[in-house]
Each structure stands twice: as C-alpha cells, then as structure tokens.
Amino acid sequence: LRRPSATIRSPYVADVQLDDDASSVVLAHAPALDVGGLCSPGSKVLMKVRPPGGKTSHSIELVTCTGPESGPTGSALVGAHPRLGEDLAKEVISRGMLDGVDGSDVKTQVTLGDSRVDFV
C-alpha cells in the first residue's frame, strides 16, 4: 500500500498491491484517508471493485489492525469507508433491531438548517 499514489498525487488515492504479486498494483480510492495511521505501507486492506469510468478501479473498505489494541485475537477489521457505518446503522434500524425505534420511515442524508444528518 502506498498513499498518496505515485500515479495520482491525491491523499484520497492509494497504490495497492494485490496479494503477493508485486506486478499487480491497482489504484484505490481511500475515502477515510489513512484511518488514523492504519492505512500505511504494509497494511492489509479489503477492497471493493468500483464501476468503470473513474480514476480508480477499487475502493478501500476495511483495513486490518494488528496489535494489543485489537483484542484477544491480536487482529481486527476497521472500517475504512465512512459509508460503511451509515449502511450498517440503516440496516439495523430498518430491521427493527433497536428497541423503541420504528424503522419503517427512515430518511437518510437529511438537511436540517446548515447541517446534514445521517438519519431522521
């Protein structure tokens, strides 16, 4: 993993090597920048293929965190795309998994005054 990319000098784009093949490198969108230092050279990431037509072919979705802060297993997956938390919360709400919250009329990305909120 190299961010910013050597090809596109943006902090939101990374060069990511696929598996152990040094010749197989893709351009990936890194929407959460370096995820608090976790998205750095040598990091293992999970990516999603992006639709054709953009500057990047993949999007970094999760990054592997290793070390004592990762709990008893020593390894944890950390969300590297802000949309993941919103998607997870929307699913929990829509399935009625929160006591006292009716998920039948969930609105997302609603503007209230000068702010935008994830859910109303």
Side-chain angles (χ1 to χ4, degrees):
L1 175 79
R2 176 185 171 150
R3 193 195 59 79
S5 167
T7 307
I8 299 176
R9 304 291 302 162
S10 165
Y12 294 99
V13 178
D15 298 324
V16 180
Q17 178 182 324
L18 300 177
D19 298 320
D20 293 328
D21 182 3
S23 66
S24 183
V25 175
V26 297
L27 285 175
H29 179 228
L33 294 175
D34 71 350
V35 191
L38 296 177
C39 226
S40 57
S43 297
K44 291 189 178 190
V45 296
L46 297 174
M47 300 184 294
K48 181 177 177 181
V49 175
R50 293 185 62 149
K55 293 181 180 180
T56 59
S57 61
H58 292 73
S59 176
I60 297 173
E61 301 289 321
L62 298 165
V63 61
T64 301
C65 175
T66 57
E69 68 277 2
S70 301
T73 64
S75 178
L77 291 175
V78 176
H81 198 300
R83 185 200 71 251
L84 286 176
E86 294 173 20
D87 289 349
L88 179 61
K90 184 177 180 181
E91 191 67 25
V92 167
I93 292 168
S94 68
R95 289 185 182 202
M97 298 171 75
L98 293 176
D99 290 338
V101 177
D102 177 15
S104 63
D105 189 26
V106 176
K107 294 178 186 162
T108 61
Q109 301 300 318
V110 177
T111 301
L112 294 175
D114 293 336
S115 300
R116 187 187 74 195
V117 296
D118 295 331
F119 300 99
V120 175

